[in-house]
Amino acid sequence: MGLRGRCRARAKRSRRYVLNADPSRQLRLLDLQAIDTRLDQLAHARKTLPEHAQVAELQTKADGVDGLLVRARTELGDVQREVAKAEADVQLVRDRAARDQARLDSGTGSAKDLTALQHELTSLARRQSELEDVELEVMERAEEAESAATQLEAQQAEIRRQLTAATAARDTALAKLAQEEEQVAAQRAGTASQVGDDLLALYEKIRESSGGLGAAAIRQRRCGGCQLELNAVDVARIKAAPADEVLRCEECRRIQVRTPESGL
Ligand SMILES: [Zn+2]
């Protein structure tokens, strides 16, 4: 026999390999499939909870406001240092003017000295007025920076409150899913043992390669796996098969289980 012939023979042999399982075991397999489908749905729901997106969105917002607040506080600190410097500048001129005024009031010194002191007092008064304008401008900026920081602090508090609420909502939803998962998983072991090891192994192998669906009922002459209608040849083959023969769909290769709704 050539290579081609051997392959064909092997294919035929594997195709002819038939697993037998009592119809009640086959029906339990449908129950097991329902359990596994529900577990898959729950796992999917856990990953795609809308609460995940809400938490992520609020976290991004919170990070953004945190960054803005750090900048606003740095700016406020800088302006507050400018205020202190402007105040010190003004104080320096005031002190100097006070000293000059005291000397002038004491009347000591020559007429020339006194005239010079008066000149200096005039120019110090001008300088003080200029520096006070600077001080005022800086103080206004400090007020603005402080109000900006206060506003951001309020925003941060509000977003953190929302984030805490969203996180709690997500955790509640996760706990609910986990609880259902636990209940469904508890049923699985018992059902799997009723299916039996040989049928279970075949089912799990197919399920892995068929998007989670390893076994399906035939409903109204339609495969519940691929939804294709059985042709006349399939119907004849299935009708001729013993009740305990484990059938496979010719199209999708999934296990086909006969039920009273199969229309056969
Ligand atoms: Zn099919």
Side-chain angles (χ1 to χ4, degrees):
M1 204 188 316
L3 181 65
R4 183 170 268 208
R6 274 206 304 276
C7 282
R8 208 177 296 136
R10 198 180 301 143
K12 213 169 170 190
R13 248 199 327 275
S14 74
R15 198 121 210 203
R16 268 210 319 265
Y17 168 74
V18 172
L19 181 64
N20 292 302
D22 190 81
S24 68
R25 282 172 61 199
Q26 296 187 35
L27 289 173
R28 293 307 277 159
L29 183 61
L30 290 181
D31 295 339
L32 186 70
Q33 176 67 75
I35 288 171
D36 283 338
T37 299
R38 186 63 197 141
L39 286 174
D40 288 348
Q41 285 168 348
L42 288 168
H44 182 257
R46 190 162 12 93
K47 276 189 226 144
T48 56
L49 271 183
E51 283 86 348
H52 286 310
Q54 278 158 8
V55 168
E57 194 188 317
L58 285 167
Q59 188 59 62
T60 306
K61 267 194 195 174
D63 291 347
V65 172
D66 285 353
L68 288 176
L69 188 56
V70 167
R71 261 175 55 188
R73 278 176 178 155
T74 307
E75 249 175 65
L76 179 60
D78 290 349
V79 181
Q80 277 169 340
R81 266 188 296 281
E82 277 187 67
V83 169
K85 185 178 178 303
E87 278 171 355
D89 288 349
V90 169
Q91 196 54 49
L92 216 66
V93 174
R94 273 195 194 130
D95 292 348
R96 177 88 184 247
R99 273 199 311 274
D100 285 359
Q101 192 61 52
R103 277 172 68 192
L104 198 62
D105 292 346
S106 74
T108 53
S110 64
K112 202 181 154 196
D113 287 346
L114 295 178
T115 309
L117 274 175
Q118 260 164 348
H119 277 299
E120 191 173 278
L121 274 169
T122 309
S123 85
L124 282 173
R126 201 168 45 237
R127 181 81 189 123
Q128 186 179 330
S129 162
E130 284 166 10
L131 287 173
E132 279 170 351
D133 286 348
V134 171
E135 188 188 15
L136 201 68
E137 184 267 327
V138 174
M139 279 167 81
E140 273 169 12
R141 277 200 285 130
E143 245 172 63
E144 280 165 23
E146 198 166 353
S147 129
T150 306
Q151 233 173 335
L152 283 168
E153 273 164 12
Q155 267 185 47
Q156 188 192 51
E158 173 59 17
I159 290 172
R160 282 192 180 158
R161 191 192 60 73
Q162 289 176 6
L163 186 58
T164 305
T167 304
R170 181 202 60 193
D171 292 346
T172 303
L174 282 175
K176 225 173 117 187
L177 289 174
Q179 196 187 3
E180 190 181 346
E181 233 168 357
E182 208 174 298
Q183 285 167 354
V184 178
Q187 302 166 12
R188 193 187 189 279
T191 306
S193 73
Q194 287 170 325
V195 168
D197 291 344
D198 50 355
L199 188 53
L200 185 66
L202 178 64
Y203 158 76
E204 280 179 341
K205 202 178 116 207
I206 299 168
R207 192 172 120 75
E208 207 172 293
S209 60
S210 305
L213 197 62
I218 299 171
R219 263 179 226 292
Q220 306 307 323
R221 300 194 171 194
R222 210 173 268 280
C223 168
C226 59
Q227 305 303 329
L228 287 176
E229 206 169 340
L230 305 175
N231 59 34
V233 177
D234 292 331
V235 171
R237 174 178 56 83
I238 292 168
K239 275 184 171 169
D244 68 348
E245 185 179 324
V246 175
L247 302 172
R248 303 277 300 271
C249 175
E250 289 294 323
E251 298 296 333
C252 68
R253 303 304 297 150
R254 292 186 176 97
I255 296 168
Q256 286 182 324
V257 179
R258 284 159 282 182
T259 77
E261 282 84 46
S262 293
L264 295 164

